[in-house]
Amino acid sequence: FFFSSRRRHTRCSRDWSSDVCSSDLLCVVGVSGPVAVGKSLVTSRLCGDAAFALAIGGPVVLIDADAILREARRKPGPLRDAIGALYPPARLHDGSLDAHLLADAAFADPALLARLEALQWPIASAAIAAARTAAKKDGAALLLVEGIALVRSGLAAAFDALLRLDAPREIRAARFAARGGTRSDFDRRDAAQAGLATELRDAGAIEIDASGSPELSVAAAAEAIRRVCFSGDDHLRTRR
């Protein structure tokens, strides 16, 4: 939930007469959406879909920005120290952070959440830049960046496209419960993301209906990516 560099990258020159992207070109696509909408399921399946990789002309690479930040908060280092100094009650005797206490405090205090996020955007930005460099070197065709706060962090400014997965609240609540979460925790997280849909729409994100089966969600996301990045559709490029 925590998440700034707004540095833009140079768009590759593509031959739009082809339906696939050649292996020396890389499209960067953000995948966002509210809690329990299925972001990780969709991105992981796209990453492992050999037929999709063949259709777009190269491998798919995934970076989970939220997971990167969770790990950065867990490990000893400047970020953990800065968070502990900002909110001392979350710092444990060994220097680690009480993740649950920190989350409770952040969700209850928007100002604290904003200050915590501001500490972390540069880390996410650097990780995405490194993943982009590695993906290009390896000849990948697509880099997927999964995360919640991709827009307000400024990270999405450097993407070629942005997808917004969405599903009705009760469907997402049921999915959250199925993976062991409580209803109160879901309600708290969902409330903290109240403006996310508007934020993503205003950024020009393509909506993906994630209310049905995983197969339908993955197929819809794959088609949107293929259309925008690999067939010359300018729908999202008007944002840039």
Side-chain angles (χ1 to χ4, degrees), residues 150-165:
L150 297 178
V151 174
R152 73 171 179 267
S153 64
L155 298 171
F159 299 166
D160 295 290
L162 185 61
L163 304 186
R164 175 175 74 91
L165 274 60

Side-chain angles (χ1 to χ4, degrees), residues 86-170:
L86 178 61
Y87 190 70
R91 182 157 44 191
L92 300 175
H93 68 278
D94 62 354
S96 63
L97 299 172
D98 185 327
H100 293 293
L101 179 61
L102 187 63
D104 287 343
F107 285 132
D109 184 348
L112 174 62
L113 176 59
R115 292 173 70 188
L116 288 166
E117 288 182 330
L119 292 174
Q120 299 175 88
W121 302 147
I123 294 172
S125 180
I128 293 169
R132 182 184 193 131
T133 298
K136 285 183 175 180
K137 182 178 179 180
D138 293 342
L142 174 65
L143 172 62
L144 295 173
V145 182
E146 178 186 338
I148 294 173
L150 297 178
V151 174
R152 73 171 179 267
S153 64
L155 298 171
F159 299 166
D160 295 290
L162 185 61
L163 304 186
R164 175 175 74 91
L165 274 60
D166 201 11
R169 190 170 189 273
E170 289 307 311

Side-chain angles (χ1 to χ4, degrees), residues 140-222:
L142 174 65
L143 172 62
L144 295 173
V145 182
E146 178 186 338
I148 294 173
L150 297 178
V151 174
R152 73 171 179 267
S153 64
L155 298 171
F159 299 166
D160 295 290
L162 185 61
L163 304 186
R164 175 175 74 91
L165 274 60
D166 201 11
R169 190 170 189 273
E170 289 307 311
I171 289 178
R172 295 187 289 107
R175 291 173 180 171
F176 192 80
R179 65 192 197 199
T182 65
R183 181 60 191 239
S184 61
D185 194 21
F186 171 82
D187 289 342
R188 181 188 59 172
R189 291 172 182 269
D190 197 50
Q193 300 169 8
L196 181 62
T198 299
E199 188 177 278
L200 290 166
R201 277 195 298 267
D202 290 348
I206 296 176
E207 181 175 350
I208 302 298
D209 181 0
S211 62
S213 69
E215 290 75 17
L216 288 175
S217 299
V218 172

Side-chain angles (χ1 to χ4, degrees), residues 39-110:
K39 297 182 293 293
S40 295
L41 184 150
V42 168
T43 55
S44 63
R45 290 204 181 184
L46 287 174
C47 246
D49 189 337
F52 178 59
L54 181 63
I56 64 175
V60 180
V61 177
L62 168 64
I63 179 171
D64 183 337
D66 295 338
I68 292 289
L69 294 178
R70 283 194 296 270
E71 179 65 12
R73 293 192 299 270
R74 186 190 66 80
K75 296 189 305 184
L79 177 62
R80 198 173 81 173
D81 292 344
I83 291 174
L86 178 61
Y87 190 70
R91 182 157 44 191
L92 300 175
H93 68 278
D94 62 354
S96 63
L97 299 172
D98 185 327
H100 293 293
L101 179 61
L102 187 63
D104 287 343
F107 285 132
D109 184 348

